Amino acid sequence: MAISGLARPLAGRVVRQLVGVHILDLATRLAAQAFLAALPMLIAVSSLCPYAVRQELLRSLRSLVGSDSPLLVPVEAVHGYRDQALHSWGAAGALVALLSATAFTRVLQRVCERSWNLPHSGARIVAWRWALWLVVWIVALLYQGMLHRAFGAGAALGVPLQLAGAVLMWWWTQHLLLAGRVPWMPLLPGALLTGGGAVAFSLSSGLWLPRVLAHSVERYGPLGSVFTLLSWLILFFVTVVAGIAAGQVLAHDEASRDRPGPPDVPSR
């Protein structure tokens, strides 16, 4: 009874937190920016990378979103037309794509700030953090395939390694984008929820995404893959926003539990 009584208020606080941060609004904005800014940046970077790096990037994306994901179509196209891609993008184009992709990081920063009820940081404080996050994200993405394979040991060990990497990435992400205004330890629950949710969602995508993609393309034609990609991104970022927002509630719940209560008043 005591556990049930504690769970109900906690569940209620989590629901109120998710409603308060406008989870669907933020997830849709993240999905839109990922589609319009982050994905073109990834294609630009891929076009400039050596063949071995591009192959590892593709393996990493397959481990994250499944081999049949529409997310892979534009990246795989770069592999087939690398010379044309290099001519189209160039170093200047890749730099512009990187700067444009900071729009995605700005929305992600807003997710963290809204979850922790913090005011928006000025651009002078966090502008360099937007670009740094994108660079670290690309580097981390290159290693996702190796983590998934556990550097050759197999998926049985690879999934825990992938989970650990995701937790560390989202732990550091919150601390970076909040400009250090929240200590490390309170950010850990959100990192655990977000990292675990993201890995679980990515692994489960391989079970339902191919069927949904085939049905969508059959019904809507080439636009069906776009609809499927956007839907997948929205669902993925719902998981991310929910993990960060709920992590704040759990951190406060743990802090209040550790905080000593008022001294008992002796009865007369």
Side-chain angles (χ1 to χ4, degrees), residues 23 27 31 49-50 53 69 98 145 147 158 173 176 199 218 225 242 245:
I23 178 173
C49 289
V53 176
S69 172
L98 176 63
L147 287 176
T173 293
L176 177 77
V199 170
E218 179 183 351
S225 61

Side-chain angles (χ1 to χ4, degrees), residues 58-215:
L58 264 180
R59 280 193 288 267
S60 296
L61 288 174
R62 289 191 184 104
S63 71
L64 286 173
V65 301
S67 58
D68 296 318
S69 172
L71 179 64
L72 299 176
V73 174
V75 182
E76 287 175 334
V78 173
H79 289 243
Y81 303 97
R82 183 170 184 266
D83 293 336
Q84 294 92 324
L86 283 171
H87 179 74
S88 301
W89 285 101
L95 179 60
V96 171
L98 176 63
L99 294 176
S100 299
T102 58
F104 170 81
T105 321
R106 290 197 296 272
V107 179
L108 188 57
Q109 175 200 344
R110 191 65 190 133
V111 170
C112 297
E113 289 175 338
R114 190 175 292 180
S115 297
W116 285 91
N117 301 313
L118 293 175
H120 190 63
S121 297
R124 288 185 299 176
I125 299 176
V126 295
W128 63 271
R129 298 172 187 266
W130 301 332
L132 175 62
W133 187 89
L134 288 169
V135 172
V136 173
W137 173 66
I138 293 172
V139 174
L141 188 60
L142 287 173
Y143 284 93
Q144 285 300 311
M146 292 184 240
L147 287 176
H148 185 70
R149 301 188 303 274
F151 301 95
L157 181 60
V159 172
L161 285 177
Q162 196 174 3
L163 177 61
V167 170
L168 289 174
M169 181 66 186
W170 287 108
W171 198 10
W172 173 78
T173 293
Q174 293 177 87
H175 192 267
L176 177 77
L177 297 182
L178 290 172
R181 289 176 288 174
V182 178
W184 282 99
M185 288 311 298
L187 299 173
L188 183 56
L192 291 170
L193 290 174
T194 308
V199 170
F201 181 81
S202 298
L203 293 175
S204 65
S205 295
L207 302 176
W208 57 268
L209 186 59
R211 293 195 300 271
V212 173
L213 175 61
H215 176 74

